[in-house]
Amino acid sequence: MTQNIATPDQIVRFWLDEVGAQGWYTRSDTLDQTIRDRFMATWEQAATLTPDWTGTAEGTLAALILTDQFPRNMFREDPRAFATDALACAIADAAIANGFDLQIQPPARQFFYLPFEHSEDLADQDRAVALFAEFMPGENVHHAELHRDTIARFGRFPWRNAALGRDPTPAEMHVMQAGGYGALVSGKLSLADLE
């Protein structure tokens, strides 16, 4: 069966209305398969489709969901999960310069800032923390700080090592054995403990 190419509105409605905030960060094999079934063909053409979408705030939101959120669901434990990260960062950078992020209300506004939080570049991480602190204060700032502090400590995310075929350092192995990102969020593990 050939998939149809999704429109920006279909992507936004699916992610905001069908999935909703309660499903954005909950691992679900069913949701992952639904995203593959409905949006894989669109993601495969993201580089050619998204330039036509980014003239509006809502179109840009769809482009960011497609390039930054969907691959993380479609390709868990696979390097393709990060294949469109650079494109997502470029889209987010242009969107913020145009003020599109401020035209989208929270909680959806976070998708303009998450590409920087997902980056393994420290400057992008600092930007994510600053954007969340200014425009979406609250729990998101804590997550942005944890991501930034992880990149400051390791220069990369240890929880991506297996998918990307990277050899972990002993400290990274300790983080993963303790529970990875979840251990940092819960406070079970502190990056300061690894010094």
Side-chain angles (χ1 to χ4, degrees), residues 76-139:
R76 293 185 192 273
E77 310 306 322
D78 183 306
R80 290 177 293 172
F82 320 110
T84 51
D85 280 7
L87 177 58
C89 274
I91 292 168
D93 184 57
I96 292 165
N98 287 324
F100 288 163
D101 56 319
L102 302 180
Q103 294 178 35
I104 300 293
Q105 294 302 307
R109 182 180 295 163
Q110 69 187 290
F111 300 115
F112 288 81
Y113 309 147
L114 284 172
F116 304 115
E117 185 176 310
H118 291 152
S119 170
E120 290 189 322
D121 178 84
L122 187 57
D124 286 342
Q125 289 295 324
D126 287 337
R127 188 173 187 193
V129 171
L131 287 164
F132 275 118
E134 184 170 359
F135 300 116
M136 275 194 73
E139 185 182 351

Side-chain angles (χ1 to χ4, degrees), residues 28-105:
S28 163
D29 293 339
T30 300
L31 175 60
D32 293 352
Q33 188 60 51
T34 298
I35 294 171
R36 281 190 291 274
D37 291 344
R38 289 174 63 175
F39 302 105
M40 175 83 82
T42 307
W43 177 82
E44 288 172 341
Q45 296 185 41
T48 56
L49 291 171
T50 55
D52 292 335
W53 297 1
T54 54
T56 66
E58 184 144 313
T60 301
L61 175 61
L64 291 168
I65 293 166
L66 178 67
T67 58
D68 188 59
Q69 296 300 302
F70 284 177
R72 285 167 164 73
N73 288 85
M74 291 189 295
F75 306 119
R76 293 185 192 273
E77 310 306 322
D78 183 306
R80 290 177 293 172
F82 320 110
T84 51
D85 280 7
L87 177 58
C89 274
I91 292 168
D93 184 57
I96 292 165
N98 287 324
F100 288 163
D101 56 319
L102 302 180
Q103 294 178 35
I104 300 293
Q105 294 302 307

Side-chain angles (χ1 to χ4, degrees), residues 10 16 26-27 37 82 132 170:
Q10 288 170 328
L16 299 189
T26 302
R27 186 173 186 144
D37 291 344
F82 320 110
F132 275 118

